[in-house]
Amino acid sequence: MSGLLDVAKQYLAGKRRPKPAQTTQPVDTTQSVPIHTMRVHTKLVSAVAFFKDGQRIVTASEDKTVRIWDVEKRVLVGGPFKEHSDAVTSVAVSPDDRRIASGGGDGAIIIWGVGSTQMVFGPPVEHTNWVSSVCFSPDGKRLASGSDDCTVIIWDVETCDVLSTLKGLDVVKCVAFSPDGLKLASGICRKTNIIQVWSTNNAKLLFDINAHGDWIRNIVWTPDGRQLISASDDKKIKFWDSSNGKQIGQPCTDHTFYVSSLAISSDGFFIASASFDPLKHTTCVSSVVISPNGELLVSGDYDGNVHLWSIKNTISAEFSMDASYFAHRGKAKLGQNLYAEALLDADKVIELNPSSHLGYELKHAALRGVQRYDDAFEAFTIMLSNPEVEDTIRQAIHAQLENAPLRLINTSTGRLCDRDAQINAFMKSAEHGKLLHSLVMHAPLQTELTGEVVAKYFSWVMLSHRWESKEPQLHDVQGRNIYDLDQVGTIVKLQKFCKVARDAGYRWAWSDTCCIDQNNNVELGRSVNSMFIWYLLSVLTIVYLSDVPPWSKPGALAISIWNTRGWTVQEFLAPKISLYLDKHSRNHKESVAITQELERSTGINARALVAFRPGMRGAREKLQWASTRVTTLQEDIAYSLFGIFGVHLPVIYGEKRQNALGRLLQEIIAHSGDITALDWVGQSSSFNSCLPADISSYKAPSYMPPSLSEDEMQISISTLRNTTVVDTLENISVPRFANARLQLPCIAFALTEVKRRPDQDEARCFTYDIKAEGLRDLQIATEEKLAQFSPEKRTPQTFLLVRPWNRYDLGLINFADETQRVEDWPEPGSPSDDKLGGHFGHNDPATRELRLIVRLRQPFVALLLAQQWGGEYKRIASDSNIIAQVNGVASVDMMDVRMLDIL
């Protein structure tokens, strides 16, 4: 035998993405024997093509003829076709087996009728040099030809008119239509050696592929059209992504001489290549082709012979018939509806590899084909009983549902489902069947694919809305189809929401009205603590505005009642994708107009509205966002902020507003050390006097002291000297808050005189003139009656004005703060470092301390504290910020830094 057959025993395509590497196992046919050799021409066989019936082949030769042969009977059944005046270089069979096309060295193209030796059309001559390649389009209506004249021509098969001429860069040795007929690939030789991929719709060049280092002899497409395979005189076979021309994996390099021909099986299972390798063969192999059923290979040689090879025998001689061969052949038999033969191959696969899921899948399909349904079911059960596969799916489901709502509405069936019902629905779904099939058919286990399928199936849509009267509860919808409920009141809202989610392609929907058991405290607490995450991880959040019709003008959203509710803050901050019902857009979080409207009405900056990050950073600002919000249940004003701050606390309905808000603020201060939550005006909380009784106390913006320019800072520094107070402040502990008791680091100033303004005996709010050690005189307005005293008339009770001390004021880096990136830190001594007081660097401690002293002399918000009998303190609330300021540098030197216990 004069030829080399490469059988690539792997799938070249059909995966979800190209493989990172191409692995081939070459089979050298010089070690095996053809089943038959036929003398078909007097000279070189330049091309061979199979008819779809798999029984006939057409051959072309340098003897200027084309002939049709029956490979089973091994007799000539058509031709010779003799109209060419020079060697016939290429041949192709139409998809309907009725015509053949040939191209020759005379530049002519002829289309022949299979039933006669007559030309249907021809010889049309548009090429001025050899026609090296011809091929029919998949629909058989067009013919492409490539020539040494550097052109590709696409012809109308019925009229032989030229549809388009594609001008390449050099000699064209091969052309091939893609399986869908939308693209045409051509191999360019001599100078460039590139592959050009064209659009057949408009004859535009899509892209070039710098493919080889020598002439490109042949190109084939994989059956799914995802890859191109090329063979070259550089002795290599390469694989390409047909969408962008990028190389896939490594080339095949088993030939020692140029590769003259290339073929791929109809299922894409293997390829065959032919070459004249001088050390192995006595004559050159000129062409190779594979039968449609993948069982027979035909090669043509330089002596005018064709050789018929059994692919089964060829592979068995090399590999002793492993399971993959029988699996491949069994699939081919199933495709031909040869169920009994496929069953034999399936049993052989199972015999060679008892754990082969592919073997049981083939057996299941073959048994169904012969209508042995009981046996087919048994094979199917065995196929699916793979603990590793089942465990992979189970783990993916657990990971997906770990942070998912406990109950969801199935938008297709309209029924409320708990976790078990959701999982059961998945197990019965087509998605699960396809995933299971993919997992049992491919190794190793595709955990990434499993995660993607599970995540897509269980993705959910959330509803954001304002509760109205008589909302449907859990007991109203449980066990019922929501679409069958009477379309009255808020039922219409629920139905419309689920339909919108369903029409958008999502299976699961969640509404807080009916998807939570309000009577189950454990479930209710878990839901409240998880709700922010549910909105965050939702595939879509739909906002229902009962008071904003679709025809509303801009500004209606800002005045909607929905925009005043406490729970809706997290509902528009958490989701990645939001859609306002009855407004047309892909994602309203990307709407500049809506973002600006929300920013104006809520006071929340646009960046947070679009890409909010939960956490305790910027606590005072977040509390201000919620300060104008209202909730039906008083505790909810605190519970609705759990997700905003990223805290997890017990939900205790009945504890009242002050306790709920107090527990939240205690958690924020205890874990973050951020004491900005103490910046409020109003009434003190019964939970702790340093906390407000109501969220509305944060409505006023935080006090900002006058800023100093750098020149002013330098002038102030020039008048200062170092002091020990800075060391004290650096070493004082962070605030601690537990069991409603606050340990607050602060700078304390003792009051020396308190005098109430005259004529205020009947007033509801009292104004006092205050004097304190080290502070300028100031006034305080409060509803509480303070004991009046002076140096001449002292009081046994101690009163303090304190400046709460926050270690952030030192400008030190908080290494636990994920929002501070290392690359954002200023270099020591840089201008930005200097502006921050040098606190990021340690190059000049003296300057750093002096800058801090200047800031300590600036006005600050003070807290008024009164000592209790046990030595602890309580805060005396005021109706406005108490703005205090030290007298001068001497007062800074005498600052009393201490830790106070506050009840």
Side-chain angles (χ1 to χ4, degrees), residues 6-13 18-27 227 229 237-239 248-254 268-271 319:
D6 291 333
V7 179
K9 294 176 63 178
Q10 71 163 18
Y11 293 94
L12 301 177
K19 289 188 176 182
Q22 209 77 26
T23 305
T24 59
Q25 290 180 276
V27 180
Q227 295 185 34
I229 308 171
I237 299 169
K238 295 185 178 182
F239 307 85
I248 301 172
Q250 299 300 314
C252 300
T253 57
D254 298 284
F269 189 71
F270 56 86
I271 59 173
F319 293 113

Side-chain angles (χ1 to χ4, degrees), residues 42 44 59 187 213 226 270 295 305 317 346 361 722 788 807 811 870:
T42 59
L44 176 150
T59 58
R226 293 186 179 184
F270 56 86
E295 294 188 356
N305 300 313
E361 188 203 24
N722 290 332
Q788 300 185 66
R807 284 185 60 81

Side-chain angles (χ1 to χ4, degrees), residues 55 201 298 323 326 471 525:
Q55 185 174 342
N201 289 331
V298 176
F326 290 102
E471 291 280 359

